[in-house]
Amino acid sequence: MKDSRLLDRDFGTPAARSEKMITLTVDGFEVSVPEGTSVMRAASEAGISVPKLCATDMLDAFGSCRLCLVEIEGRAGTPASCTTPVAPGMVVHTQTGKLKDLRKGVMELYISDHPLDCLTCAANGDCELQDMAGALGLRDVRYEAVDTHFRARNAAATSIRSGWPRTRATRISLMTRRNASSARAACAPARKSRAPSP
Amino acid sequence: MAAAIEREASARNLDVTIIRNGSRGMLWLETLVEVRTDKGRVAYGPVKASDVPSLFDAGFLTGGDHRLAHGVTAEIPFLKGQTRLTFARCGVTDPLSLEDYRHYKGLKGLEAAVAMTPAEIVKQVTDSGLRGRGGAGFPTGIKWKTVADAKADQKYIVCNADEGDSGTFADRMIMEGDPFVLIEGMAIAAIAVGATRGYIYTRSEYPHAIAIMQDAIAIARREGILGESVLGSSHAFDMEVRVGAGAYVCGEETSLLNSLEGKRGIVRAKPPLPALEGLFGKPTVVNNVMSLASVPVIMDRGAQFYRDFGVGRSHGTIPIQLAGNLKHGGLYETAFGLTLGELVNDIGGGTISGRPVKAVQVGGPLGAYFPPALFDTIFDYEAFAAAGGLIGHAGVVVFDDTVDMLAQARFAMEFCAIESCGKCTPCRIGAVRGVETVDRIARGDAAAIPLLESLCSTMKSGSLCALGGFTPYPVMSALTHFPADFDRMKEAAE
Amino acid sequence: MSAHFSADTIRATTREIVTAHEPLEGPLLPILHAVQEAFGFVPQEALPVIADGLNLSRAEVHGVMSFYHDFRAEPAGRHVLKVCRAEACQSMGMDALADKLKRRLGIDWHGTTTDGAVTLEPVYCLGLCAQSPAAMLDGELFARLDDDGVDEMLGGIGK
């Protein structure tokens, strides 16, 4: 099993170091992983890939992109698989109708804030955002075009000298988590739509 | 006001002692002046400085009649109908007089706690059925037990006093009117879980509360309630007030912890629970002001005493804050179990504008709007959840029939867009799309209504915390209960 | 509250503030409040000093400063008027009152009058929800505002 894996495969969250093994079920497959492993990584170990944008096994889980949501029997809601640790006997579903709609809805929000210039974009064909939109079956965006976007504002502070848009810096933290292509993908719309009017 | 009375009294050569107490919670009568007489305390209000000479003329110092007189304060129906446990002293005592506090049974709870083992304290709080008054309704005792069982060199008690919900002011009233009860509650929590440091995180919009809390903490430290030895016991506990900086999201507990640590107030994923890895990664109790302020009476009077109030799984009393367009707005502490209609019409006295009630928002900016048709909903955690709403911090905001529910839905989305911490997509981008989508509906684009519903469902299930997750409540309740306000095509045609 | 501070003054004062807050756990917010108290805003020159004192990157300090609504990067007017826009105040007609106020001052939210006298900011809840509409002028609270109340409030600052 191990040998068949690609070396650069990303498991989503770092490996746990515990000696103690936990057994759980993901989409009907039983899998045993060290205690402290995330549900996302457990699924990945079982050969199931959960959609994701902000998770990588080089960093601790952050839980911001909301594409890796799963359903766990006996638990309310749809927790993020990257920030949820496994528990003995847990029964996880990563592919359900509800999750499909939810992920597509979140993806649609990402793309609604994104300039649709893939054909002239240097990252075309090598873009995680593009790949993920395809994987989730997003074909069109029901929201209005980018140039009509509403600008929320309440802060007392105004744009500082650097000219960096006066947004909350969190938006940037998401972007710095991933490789250059998806950083560009997520970053460009935020800068474009939130830039203060001159 | 105090100055006006003092001036008038000295001009008339009368000896008057003026005590500035906290609010009684009858806010339509404020500024309320109470006079201690043989009959008890007699109330006059709302008093303006220009009314003072006529009050003296009417002999108000001996309870004389006046157009602003309301008789004995405790007999005013609004106050008489209440069960004041948490707010027993608020408005009665001088907030910064420890002597007053002791006189009205203050510190009894802490004295009892000092004589008990930590496990006994946790059990008593658990048995009382007290649930987090901040909104989620999580059992306080279970939270404490988790922290008590955690092993660490340092544990913290954090009081969430970041009361940002519109329509709520109970935390502010306690901090301004009876600050020692909060200090006492935190000290009991500290002994129960083995914490030695505490923080009260409050809002920069509450300058008076900050000043009074700081003074009260200094007094408590001087009098041996805080410090190396709490009331002479072997427990050490000290605390300080920290002031937020205008971010609503910092009322969310993990975001509050980040803010206390000096970081951006962004929400953390749970697990790990703050009870195990909270402030600076240490086990931390994060409780609302109301939860902590309810603890002293539970320790003093016993778990069963508190538990006997309320209905179903909602035990004890809840300070309901009646606000907005109401004749008798104010704080009404009562056992769970009244209906929404009783609160709005009987206790609140209906709208101040005299127009019919159209909608009532319960639970702050993330709470659902209720139409009068749902006024028989019982005020407790479960009944509100079943009716598609939430109690939140028990703020009730009343709107008359001039309100446009589409505008309220838009505001809910706008507020979320402004206050979003920006971490998760459904909240950060969804709220902005929400404002635009409501605007489309306002322009008569009926196709945008299903889109708004779909967006709300994405936000509700996809968001990391309650800000993005609950913003759909006001939006969807407005859409469900007031569809006419969203039918702009029809309106234009008519 | 004016911008007439030299860069050296700003750096020296900020250094003093940072030192005074050393004993605190998680001192960044108290420091930023103190800096704003001292200068009326959080000047650019203060950020590297704070970053240096707390062993943070300048980006982190800027991130925190810009996250919170209270901290301003530029000086405000001589008076800051915060008007509540939240639901309870809406229910008592604050929207109409705020529109009138904006016309009277000739500014929109976040604006400062041309003579530098008043900066108008929205605020979401002052905790005076049973005495709506409410506003706060330089830290002083005003409740049950109506046209007369606004006159009285602004009269105090000659507006």
Side-chain angles (χ1 to χ4, degrees), chain B residues 95-114:
Chain B
L96 288 174
S97 159
L98 196 57
E99 207 174 294
D100 253 19
Y101 186 66
R102 280 183 196 275
H103 180 75
Y104 288 94
K105 299 204 170 153
L107 291 180
K108 290 262 189 280
L110 184 57
E111 282 163 5
V114 165

Side-chain angles (χ1 to χ4, degrees), chain B residues 160-249:
Chain B
N160 183 347
D162 197 51
E163 185 181 48
D165 286 357
S166 173
T168 62
F169 42 83
D171 296 355
R172 179 177 64 81
M173 264 180 65
I174 274 289
M175 288 190 285
E176 291 177 4
D178 194 16
F180 291 117
V181 78
L182 182 54
I183 295 174
E184 186 180 352
M186 285 178 74
I188 295 169
I191 294 172
V193 304
T196 52
R197 290 194 69 85
Y199 289 98
I200 297 173
Y201 184 94
T202 191
R203 316 174 63 216
S204 58
E205 290 87 343
Y206 283 2
H208 300 306
I210 296 165
I212 294 175
M213 268 328 301
Q214 278 167 340
D215 289 350
I217 289 172
I219 294 168
R221 212 174 274 149
R222 207 165 55 225
E223 301 289 329
I225 299 166
L226 296 173
E228 286 303 310
S229 163
V230 173
L231 289 184
S233 70
S234 61
H235 304 282
F237 181 63
D238 209 336
M239 64 166 89
E240 59 183 276
V241 178
R242 283 292 173 89
V243 182
Y248 173 76
V249 74

Side-chain angles (χ1 to χ4, degrees), chain A residues 158-174:
Chain A
T158 44
S159 175
I160 71 160
R161 251 178 246 164
S162 66
W164 191 246
R166 227 219 59 67
T167 72
R168 293 192 174 176
T170 316
R171 299 190 178 104
I172 297 140
S173 79
L174 164 77

Side-chain angles (χ1 to χ4, degrees), chain C residues 24-102:
Chain C
L24 299 187
E25 294 181 310
L28 185 47
L29 254 65
I31 288 174
L32 289 170
H33 274 302
V35 169
Q36 178 143 313
E37 176 77 28
F39 304 110
F41 68 113
V42 183
Q44 274 296 293
E45 292 84 350
L47 300 185
V49 180
I50 299 171
D52 190 44
L54 301 184
N55 198 20
L56 297 170
S57 71
R58 217 196 108 192
E60 280 173 282
V61 178
H62 171 65
V64 172
M65 183 251 167
S66 60
F67 180 90
Y68 295 96
H69 300 317
D70 280 2
F71 301 127
R72 51 180 82 252
E74 281 153 20
R78 290 188 294 282
H79 303 279
V80 177
L81 176 58
K82 294 188 175 190
V83 173
C84 180
R85 276 195 70 202
E87 286 88 344
C89 288
Q90 290 169 13
S91 78
M92 292 302 289
M94 184 47 117
D95 285 344
L97 201 66
D99 283 343
K100 247 189 259 178
L101 197 62
K102 284 191 258 185

Side-chain angles (χ1 to χ4, degrees), chain B residues 126-414:
Chain B
T126 308
D127 290 348
S128 74
L130 178 65
R131 291 166 70 176
R133 295 281 187 260
F138 189 81
T140 305
I142 294 175
K143 199 184 263 186
W144 287 19
K145 188 166 178 356
T146 313
V147 179
D149 291 345
K151 291 199 173 24
D153 53 348
Q154 174 76 60
K155 296 179 188 176
Y156 293 100
I157 307 294
V158 171
C159 171
N160 183 347
D162 197 51
E163 185 181 48
D165 286 357
S166 173
T168 62
F169 42 83
D171 296 355
R172 179 177 64 81
M173 264 180 65
I174 274 289
M175 288 190 285
E176 291 177 4
D178 194 16
F180 291 117
V181 78
L182 182 54
I183 295 174
E184 186 180 352
M186 285 178 74
I188 295 169
I191 294 172
V193 304
T196 52
R197 290 194 69 85
Y199 289 98
I200 297 173
Y201 184 94
T202 191
R203 316 174 63 216
S204 58
E205 290 87 343
Y206 283 2
H208 300 306
I210 296 165
I212 294 175
M213 268 328 301
Q214 278 167 340
D215 289 350
I217 289 172
I219 294 168
R221 212 174 274 149
R222 207 165 55 225
E223 301 289 329
I225 299 166
L226 296 173
E228 286 303 310
S229 163
V230 173
L231 289 184
S233 70
S234 61
H235 304 282
F237 181 63
D238 209 336
M239 64 166 89
E240 59 183 276
V241 178
R242 283 292 173 89
V243 182
Y248 173 76
V249 74
C250 288
E252 197 281 336
E253 61 175 357
T254 59
S255 156
L256 186 153
L257 294 174
N258 273 336
S259 185
L260 265 180
E261 290 180 12
K263 299 175 183 160
R264 284 175 283 135
I266 60 170
V267 177
R268 300 178 187 171
K270 286 189 276 190
L273 292 172
L276 297 172
E277 287 180 42
L279 189 59
F280 301 107
K282 304 293 184 187
T284 304
V285 169
V286 186
N287 275 154
N288 183 261
V289 174
M290 286 304 113
S291 317
L292 288 165
S294 301
V295 168
V297 70
I298 292 170
M299 296 311 295
D300 177 27
R301 309 286 291 270
Q304 197 58 43
F305 169 78
Y306 193 79
R307 192 182 178 82
D308 287 345
F309 294 98
V311 289
R313 294 203 291 124
S314 302
H315 299 284
T317 58
I318 178 133
I320 297 167
Q321 297 126 81
L322 301 171
N325 196 334
L326 264 188
K327 207 173 282 165
H328 296 164
L331 181 126
Y332 197 86
E333 182 177 352
T334 182
F336 288 95
L338 287 175
T339 66
L340 186 55
E342 286 172 313
L343 284 169
V344 172
N345 292 327
D346 304 345
I347 296 161
T351 62
I352 194 168
S353 62
R355 303 182 67 96
V357 174
K358 176 166 173 180
V360 179
Q361 188 180 30
V362 182
L366 308 178
Y369 285 100
F370 285 78
L374 289 178
F375 271 12
D376 56 352
T377 310
I378 304 278
F379 206 89
D380 76 17
Y381 293 111
E382 277 72 29
F384 263 69
L390 52 119
I391 287 189
H393 198 254
V396 174
V397 178
V398 178
F399 292 82
D400 70 15
D401 63 350
T402 58
V403 68
D404 172 7
M405 296 310 291
L406 180 133
Q408 297 310 116
R410 185 187 192 276
F411 177 79
M413 285 292 189
E414 183 189 357

